[in-house]
Amino acid sequence: MMTGVSASTVRPATRITARILILTAIAAGGTAIWYRHTYNVWPGQGASARVHWCGRDYESFGGPPQTRQQISSRQHFLIHPVGQYPPLALSRQQLFAAVVIGAPRASVSPPPLCAMVVYLRTDPDQYRAYSLEGGP
């Protein structure tokens, strides 16, 4: 004697809805895992000790935050905004890339190279430095 509901008594609309929910959960989970792998944080989290920009990873080795004036006077380069980081954080911060002062401007082709250092603005005039991981 069988108990419970057999598959033949479940309405087709219920099975379709269940499949859609399962596929949606799988897609959301896959997207979250991809995001974590790419940006080093889960969706909704703020930046960590590693950031991802220009297809590369950058790591912060600590140290005190710097002002924009300190960055441009000591390092001989300017910084310009390149976007918000991380893209799906509840509170995103502005990301800046370093540009060498007096460097010739690259044309559209070939594409410009990634910066060796990026900065994340942590306060109105406070920036945390992130160095490029790996080789050029």
Side-chain angles (χ1 to χ4, degrees), residues 28 31-33 35-36 41-46 88-90:
T31 301
I33 290 169
Y35 185 89
R36 168 76 169 130
V41 293
W42 292 105
Q45 288 182 318
L88 297 179
L90 297 176

mmCIF file of all heavy atoms in Angstrom, residues 28 31-33 35-36 41-46 88-90:
data_model
loop_
_atom_site.group_PDB
_atom_site.id
_atom_site.type_symbol
_atom_site.label_atom_id
_atom_site.label_comp_id
_atom_site.label_asym_id
_atom_site.label_seq_id
_atom_site.Cartn_x
_atom_site.Cartn_y
_atom_site.Cartn_z
ATOM 1 N N ALA A 28 20.962 31.658 -9.540
ATOM 2 C CA ALA A 28 21.366 32.641 -8.535
ATOM 3 C C ALA A 28 22.602 32.173 -7.781
ATOM 4 O O ALA A 28 23.533 32.951 -7.532
ATOM 5 C CB ALA A 28 20.215 32.897 -7.560
ATOM 6 N N THR A 31 25.636 32.462 -10.115
ATOM 7 C CA THR A 31 26.030 33.864 -10.261
ATOM 8 C C THR A 31 26.759 34.344 -9.014
ATOM 9 O O THR A 31 27.764 35.053 -9.114
ATOM 10 C CB THR A 31 24.793 34.736 -10.539
ATOM 11 O OG1 THR A 31 24.167 34.268 -11.744
ATOM 12 C CG2 THR A 31 25.159 36.197 -10.690
ATOM 13 N N ALA A 32 26.264 33.992 -7.849
ATOM 14 C CA ALA A 32 26.912 34.395 -6.589
ATOM 15 C C ALA A 32 28.313 33.809 -6.479
ATOM 16 O O ALA A 32 29.254 34.501 -6.064
ATOM 17 C CB ALA A 32 26.055 33.973 -5.395
ATOM 18 N N ILE A 33 28.476 32.553 -6.878
ATOM 19 C CA ILE A 33 29.799 31.930 -6.826
ATOM 20 C C ILE A 33 30.740 32.592 -7.824
ATOM 21 O O ILE A 33 31.903 32.869 -7.506
ATOM 22 C CB ILE A 33 29.690 30.412 -7.062
ATOM 23 C CG1 ILE A 33 29.008 29.768 -5.848
ATOM 24 C CG2 ILE A 33 31.052 29.781 -7.327
ATOM 25 C CD1 ILE A 33 28.603 28.334 -6.057
ATOM 26 N N TYR A 35 30.564 35.698 -8.901
ATOM 27 C CA TYR A 35 30.842 37.027 -8.364
ATOM 28 C C TYR A 35 31.908 36.943 -7.269
ATOM 29 O O TYR A 35 32.841 37.747 -7.228
ATOM 30 C CB TYR A 35 29.540 37.636 -7.816
ATOM 31 C CG TYR A 35 29.679 39.052 -7.342
ATOM 32 C CD1 TYR A 35 29.490 40.117 -8.210
ATOM 33 C CD2 TYR A 35 29.975 39.345 -6.011
ATOM 34 C CE1 TYR A 35 29.602 41.429 -7.787
ATOM 35 C CE2 TYR A 35 30.092 40.647 -5.573
ATOM 36 C CZ TYR A 35 29.903 41.677 -6.466
ATOM 37 O OH TYR A 35 30.033 42.990 -6.030
ATOM 38 N N ARG A 36 31.783 35.968 -6.380
ATOM 39 C CA ARG A 36 32.748 35.782 -5.293
ATOM 40 C C ARG A 36 34.130 35.487 -5.855
ATOM 41 O O ARG A 36 35.136 36.015 -5.386
ATOM 42 C CB ARG A 36 32.282 34.642 -4.381
ATOM 43 C CG ARG A 36 33.320 34.168 -3.390
ATOM 44 C CD ARG A 36 33.459 35.146 -2.242
ATOM 45 N NE ARG A 36 34.258 34.544 -1.195
ATOM 46 C CZ ARG A 36 35.286 35.143 -0.624
ATOM 47 N NH1 ARG A 36 35.619 36.364 -0.973
ATOM 48 N NH2 ARG A 36 35.964 34.543 0.311
ATOM 49 N N VAL A 41 34.585 38.975 -2.913
ATOM 50 C CA VAL A 41 33.577 39.196 -1.871
ATOM 51 C C VAL A 41 32.244 38.663 -2.386
ATOM 52 O O VAL A 41 32.045 38.496 -3.583
ATOM 53 C CB VAL A 41 33.413 40.697 -1.490
ATOM 54 C CG1 VAL A 41 34.652 41.237 -0.811
ATOM 55 C CG2 VAL A 41 33.070 41.542 -2.704
ATOM 56 N N TRP A 42 31.326 38.383 -1.469
ATOM 57 C CA TRP A 42 29.980 37.963 -1.859
ATOM 58 C C TRP A 42 29.160 39.184 -2.253
ATOM 59 O O TRP A 42 29.451 40.291 -1.802
ATOM 60 C CB TRP A 42 29.296 37.225 -0.708
ATOM 61 C CG TRP A 42 29.918 35.905 -0.409
ATOM 62 C CD1 TRP A 42 30.717 35.608 0.650
ATOM 63 C CD2 TRP A 42 29.810 34.699 -1.168
ATOM 64 N NE1 TRP A 42 31.119 34.294 0.590
ATOM 65 C CE2 TRP A 42 30.575 33.714 -0.511
ATOM 66 C CE3 TRP A 42 29.147 34.363 -2.343
ATOM 67 C CZ2 TRP A 42 30.685 32.410 -0.987
ATOM 68 C CZ3 TRP A 42 29.262 33.054 -2.815
ATOM 69 C CH2 TRP A 42 30.017 32.098 -2.145
ATOM 70 N N PRO A 43 28.140 39.027 -3.095
ATOM 71 C CA PRO A 43 27.275 40.169 -3.429
ATOM 72 C C PRO A 43 26.727 40.813 -2.158
ATOM 73 O O PRO A 43 26.294 40.128 -1.236
ATOM 74 C CB PRO A 43 26.152 39.533 -4.253
ATOM 75 C CG PRO A 43 26.750 38.292 -4.834
ATOM 76 C CD PRO A 43 27.726 37.802 -3.779
ATOM 77 N N GLY A 44 26.796 42.141 -2.100
ATOM 78 C CA GLY A 44 26.310 42.879 -0.939
ATOM 79 C C GLY A 44 27.417 43.282 0.017
ATOM 80 O O GLY A 44 27.271 44.227 0.782
ATOM 81 N N GLN A 45 28.557 42.588 -0.010
ATOM 82 C CA GLN A 45 29.668 42.928 0.875
ATOM 83 C C GLN A 45 30.488 44.073 0.292
ATOM 84 O O GLN A 45 30.522 44.278 -0.918
ATOM 85 C CB GLN A 45 30.605 41.736 1.071
ATOM 86 C CG GLN A 45 30.053 40.630 1.911
ATOM 87 C CD GLN A 45 31.076 39.512 2.089
ATOM 88 O OE1 GLN A 45 31.753 39.135 1.146
ATOM 89 N NE2 GLN A 45 31.166 38.998 3.303
ATOM 90 N N GLY A 46 31.195 44.780 1.176
ATOM 91 C CA GLY A 46 32.105 45.841 0.752
ATOM 92 C C GLY A 46 33.441 45.257 0.311
ATOM 93 O O GLY A 46 33.651 44.047 0.340
ATOM 94 N N LEU A 88 28.266 45.154 -6.795
ATOM 95 C CA LEU A 88 26.996 44.806 -6.153
ATOM 96 C C LEU A 88 27.024 44.991 -4.642
ATOM 97 O O LEU A 88 26.245 44.374 -3.927
ATOM 98 C CB LEU A 88 26.606 43.358 -6.494
ATOM 99 C CG LEU A 88 26.348 43.057 -7.961
ATOM 100 C CD1 LEU A 88 25.993 41.590 -8.149
ATOM 101 C CD2 LEU A 88 25.243 43.939 -8.514
ATOM 102 N N ALA A 89 27.903 45.846 -4.135
ATOM 103 C CA ALA A 89 27.976 46.085 -2.689
ATOM 104 C C ALA A 89 26.839 46.996 -2.256
ATOM 105 O O ALA A 89 26.325 47.800 -3.039
ATOM 106 C CB ALA A 89 29.305 46.722 -2.320
ATOM 107 N N LEU A 90 26.456 46.860 -1.000
ATOM 108 C CA LEU A 90 25.425 47.751 -0.459
ATOM 109 C C LEU A 90 25.963 49.171 -0.323
ATOM 110 O O LEU A 90 25.226 50.135 -0.485
ATOM 111 C CB LEU A 90 24.924 47.214 0.880
ATOM 112 C CG LEU A 90 24.249 45.845 0.809
ATOM 113 C CD1 LEU A 90 23.866 45.365 2.202
ATOM 114 C CD2 LEU A 90 23.029 45.889 -0.094
#
